[in-house]
Amino acid sequence: MATGIKETAHTVEAASVMKLLPARPRLLALGEPTHGEDTLLDLRNELFRQLVEQECYRTIAIESDCMMGLVVDDYVTSGTGTPDEVMEQGFSHGWGASAANRELVRWLRAYNDGRPASEQLRFAGFDGPLEITGVASPRQALTALHGYLSTRVDADLLPCTGETLDRLLGADDRWTNPAAMMDPARSVGQSAEARELRLLADDLAALLDAQTPTASCSSRTPREASATISSPVCRGASEAREASRSSTANTSAQHRAPPPGANW
């Protein structure tokens, strides 16, 4: 029977963490007691490295915008962009300023360099594209979802064209007006364009749900199909579906990872 801290405390390392669990989980979620403390994130980075090397985990997901996270994933898998661009454009809530997050991105990129796609590590965000005082334009989510479907289904199945989306979206800055937080009359979410976009987002999401089995797996062996479900295109489309629903819904009042993964 445990009687003191020495009996209840455990070293924070992969082997000790795994011993606490009855079986190796496909998704391992770990929490942090506070935000903005790089010491805890340094510990997270070291633990993730151990989980990769000792337990074969291949994805890390953090509490950050799921759409912005695609920027980080593109960089760590293919080298797209520069480190400064990725830290500025790939994280929400100001997390890109964290030295520990920059080190995580650097290590992921270094690990993946020269490795085939099947052996690369992946990055994802699991927050909706929402900030405290406003939401981003749903352009990225809606256009990504529409673009994914337009290359995989007949044009007559799509509820609209890309040009229609662009017209309804208009200027991006009108979606991010902080004044709408205190004055609903300033919100673009009450406009006719936003109401139409919500209907189109639902139609696009329903089409993705209906077409995913054939869009993802046709003309592929089971092993190839499994890899495709983990691809950045499929993952991006799924995130775009959820993001398009949340971003267009929340503007009126003023959110895959390849297995297995560690979730912070």
Side-chain angles (χ1 to χ4, degrees):
M1 176 175 167
T3 58
I5 191 170
K6 289 184 177 181
E7 288 76 23
T8 57
H10 301 273
T11 304
V12 183
E13 57 186 23
S16 298
V17 170
M18 301 308 287
K19 287 180 181 177
L20 298 174
L21 305 171
R24 179 186 181 282
R26 185 169 180 262
L27 178 68
L28 175 62
L30 301 171
E32 59 188 53
T34 186
H35 286 320
E37 177 50 66
D38 266 3
T39 300
L40 294 173
L41 299 185
D42 288 335
L43 182 62
R44 172 206 66 188
N45 291 350
E46 176 57 29
L47 182 57
F48 181 62
R49 281 193 285 267
Q50 293 179 21
L51 289 168
V52 167
E53 295 166 357
Q54 300 172 22
E55 300 293 336
C56 297
Y57 282 88
R58 285 293 176 265
T59 299
I60 183 167
I62 73 168
E63 186 182 356
S64 183
D65 187 314
C66 62
M67 299 302 295
M68 298 178 78
L70 297 174
V71 173
V72 182
D73 190 60
D74 283 344
Y75 174 75
V76 301
T77 56
S78 67
T80 302
T82 68
D84 287 343
E85 291 170 343
V86 170
M87 299 312 296
E88 180 180 355
Q89 302 169 17
F91 292 84
S92 58
H93 315 317
W95 301 153
S98 163
N101 281 337
R102 178 177 284 267
E103 171 58 21
L104 172 66
V105 171
R106 184 207 65 78
W107 182 80
L108 288 168
R109 178 64 195 136
Y111 183 96
N112 286 342
D113 191 27
R115 282 185 163 86
S118 60
E119 297 178 10
Q120 289 186 342
L121 305 180
R122 307 297 297 273
F123 178 95
F126 60 80
D127 257 6
L130 312 173
E131 287 290 359
I132 295 173
T133 58
V135 300
S137 164
R139 179 181 301 279
Q140 182 187 9
L142 287 172
T143 56
L145 182 53
H146 185 277
Y148 176 81
L149 288 169
S150 65
T151 63
R152 289 164 172 79
V153 302
D154 293 336
D156 57 359
L157 292 177
L158 294 170
C160 66
T161 64
E163 290 75 16
T164 297
L165 284 181
D166 189 62
R167 175 180 58 80
L168 292 172
L169 287 163
D172 287 345
D173 57 1
R174 69 178 187 148
W175 294 91
T176 57
N177 181 8
M181 182 177 183
M182 304 302 295
D183 182 5
R186 305 283 296 274
S187 173
V188 68
Q190 296 188 14
S191 67
E193 293 90 346
R195 288 194 291 271
E196 186 170 352
L197 282 170
R198 288 189 200 99
L199 296 175
L200 292 174
D202 282 343
D203 288 343
L204 288 167
L207 182 58
L208 178 66
D209 288 339
Q211 298 296 324
T212 293
T214 55
S216 298
C217 303
S218 61
S219 303
R220 293 179 173 88
T221 66
R223 182 170 182 175
E224 289 171 332
S226 176
T228 303
I229 297 300
S230 299
S231 74
V233 175
C234 279
R235 183 170 57 83
S238 296
E239 290 172 346
R241 171 189 59 194
E242 298 308 319
S244 65
R245 281 175 165 163
S246 69
S247 58
T248 53
N250 281 278
T251 47
S252 60
Q254 117 41 255
H255 124 327
R256 137 235 139 97
N263 174 3
W264 274 267

